[in-house]
Each structure stands twice: as structure tokens, then as C-alpha cells.
Amino acid sequence: MTSRSEQRDTPGAGPAAPGVGVAFTVNGVPARCVVDPRESLLDVLRERLGLTGAKNGCDHGQCGACTVHLDGRRILSCLMPAVQAQGAGVTTVEGLAEPDGTPHPVQRAFLDQDALQCGYCTPGQIMSAVACLAEGHAGDDEEIREYMSGNLCRCGAYPQIVAAVRQAGRRASAHPGGRTDA
């Protein structure tokens, strides 16, 4: 049996990719790691930093389960090389709640509206919902559906998801300065 390093040195296999140092902030905490230049931000978040909220649903950017925020904008972390996060601020679903554990208004709305079934897509749905509200795209149910359309739910909880975004939007409107961003 050969070790991983012996397998990498096998003639014709090509050299292992050199590591690249990356420094960024995740949920307000500085993070530094050496990554393979081909490694996705999703893999770094999950495998190296232990932040398993973002999920690998399709690995092709088609389902939205891996949605996180990069400098306040939603991105599909399975498509983004981690090296591109250099110097950026990343927010994952784990970083939305208040330090005392109080849920973010969107998290609270998802619970209130029972906007989850199996829960696999829920972190990505919540991150997209926060962005949808921050971008001002929650004027009506049709607009919410349009701006949430990149996030798939195999269980079909879409009516509850739309209701949760609507609820969080109403609460933010009723309480100026209420948090809807990450």
C-alpha cells in the first residue's frame, strides 16, 4: 500500500499543487490557512474551519445550498476558489445569530413559518433570504420567489420560505434599524 505522498510522486501523475496562504475574516473572526489553489471556499469552511452550515448539494452552483455572504453579497461557495476570499469578510449561517444566541430575524421567521422540512437547504435559503431583504427584493411574493429562485428545496417548502421572507421583511420595516443584513 502506498501513502498519499508516494501516490503524488508517481511518474506521470504530475506534482501536487503548491499551497497558497489565504487570510480572511469569517463571521467576524480572522482566519488563516494554506489551501490548494483549486480548493473551494465551501470546502475550506466545512473541512478546515468546521463551519458545516453551508452544504454541498450539487457542487455545480445550481442548488444554492452552499450560499454564504462575501463582503455582504451572496455567493455560491462551491464555485468560488478559496484563494479569491483573500482579505474578504465571509458570513455563514453560523454568524447570523447574536452573540447571546438570539436568532437573526430571518432565522426566527423560518422557525415561525416552519420554513424547513429536512433542513438540508435551510442554511442556504436563510443566507439568500437575508440578502434578498438587504437588496430590497422582498416587495411582494412574486419578487421574493424570483430573487430566491437560485435556492432549491427538494421537500417543497417554498410557500413557507416565501412567508418567512415576507415576515422578516415586515418586522424589519416595522422596526427601523432592525437587522436584515449579515
Side-chain angles (χ1 to χ4, degrees):
M1 177 134 246
T2 59
S3 72
R4 290 181 74 87
S5 63
E6 289 173 320
Q7 289 173 347
R8 286 187 183 142
D9 295 336
T10 303
V20 176
V22 179
F24 52 99
T25 303
V26 182
N27 300 328
V29 178
R32 295 172 103 20
C33 49
V34 176
V35 301
D36 179 315
R38 302 164 293 188
E39 198 168 4
S40 72
L41 179 59
L42 176 63
D43 288 339
V44 169
L45 292 171
R46 290 183 59 79
E47 306 302 325
R48 294 171 183 259
L49 301 179
L51 298 168
T52 57
K55 306 291 189 246
N56 188 343
C58 69
D59 216 15
H60 292 92
Q62 297 176 343
C63 73
C66 67
T67 303
V68 299
H69 296 177
L70 183 77
D71 290 335
R73 297 188 60 177
R74 62 179 136 176
I75 62 143
L76 300 170
S77 62
C78 74
L79 294 181
M80 178 177 214
V83 295
Q84 288 184 337
Q86 175 64 35
V90 176
T91 304
T92 68
V93 72
E94 292 93 343
L96 291 182
E98 295 293 333
D100 68 359
T102 302
H104 183 281
V106 171
Q107 291 171 312
R108 175 83 264 154
F110 267 67
L111 292 169
D112 292 348
Q113 296 297 326
D114 197 23
L116 56 132
Q117 287 184 30
C118 80
Y120 197 82
C121 73
T122 305
Q125 295 279 1
I126 288 172
M127 295 307 290
S128 279
V130 169
C132 184
L133 291 164
E135 295 162 0
H137 296 300
D140 58 34
D141 289 1
E142 185 176 327
E143 186 176 32
I144 292 169
R145 281 191 294 274
E146 174 66 26
Y147 283 87
M148 294 289 294
S149 66
N151 291 79
L152 303 180
C153 173
R154 293 180 183 186
C155 300
Y158 296 114
Q160 297 94 324
I161 292 167
V162 170
V165 176
R166 194 178 340 107
Q167 175 185 318
R170 279 195 310 265
R171 284 192 179 158
S173 297
H175 299 93
R179 260 182 71 200
T180 58
D181 62 339

